[in-house]
Amino acid sequence: MNDSRPDASQPLPTSVSPAEGLDLWDTVDALSAWLDARQPVTGREALLLRVLKLSEEVGEVAQAVIGATGQNPRKGTSHSWDDVQSELCDVVITALVALRTLTPRAQEVFAGHLARVAERSSESADRGGADAR
């Protein structure tokens, strides 16, 4: 499931700015290793729980959207659109960590898939269609 990882005993970078070179995939690797070192279960169950975590994060996006639009009469406007952005970022991070858990080639797998989606959407636009999945 996983290959060699960064030292999980090291703290994660918390104050590195993009200008200082915070690398997306190095950070995903570090987060995944950090989680691996602290999870109470291992093996297949750990993998399944990491993927299920994505559903929890998507639910938090929905909660933030409902809160930002004030659609819950009991709570009113309980979130901001900045909260929605933050929750969406959590979804992306969680998905990338789950992908990294499935394969040490996460960066390559993601880049290949992104290229295929971009190609399909470009072809669809050229034909006047909208199938970009």
Side-chain angles (χ1 to χ4, degrees), residues 118-132:
E119 183 179 330
R120 283 195 310 262
S121 64
S122 175
E123 291 170 358
S124 179
D126 291 344
R127 292 189 310 265
D131 182 20

Side-chain angles (χ1 to χ4, degrees), residues 23-36:
D23 179 79
L24 172 68
W25 291 104
D26 287 346
T27 304
V28 168
D29 284 347
L31 285 167
S32 187
W34 183 82
L35 288 167
D36 286 348

Side-chain angles (χ1 to χ4, degrees), residues 42-102:
T42 60
R44 184 180 178 110
E45 185 178 2
L47 170 63
L48 295 174
L49 290 169
R50 189 138 321 154
V51 172
L52 284 176
K53 178 70 175 166
L54 189 54
S55 293
E56 178 186 10
E57 296 297 341
V58 169
E60 291 175 11
V61 172
Q63 182 180 23
V65 169
I66 290 167
T69 58
Q71 292 302 303
N72 183 335
R74 186 174 53 83
K75 294 181 180 179
T77 303
S78 58
H79 292 74
S80 69
W81 288 105
D82 286 342
D83 294 327
V84 175
Q85 292 175 19
S86 179
E87 296 300 344
L88 285 169
C89 289
D90 286 349
V91 168
V92 172
I93 293 164
T94 303
L96 292 177
V97 169
L99 180 60
R100 176 59 182 88
T101 302
L102 285 171

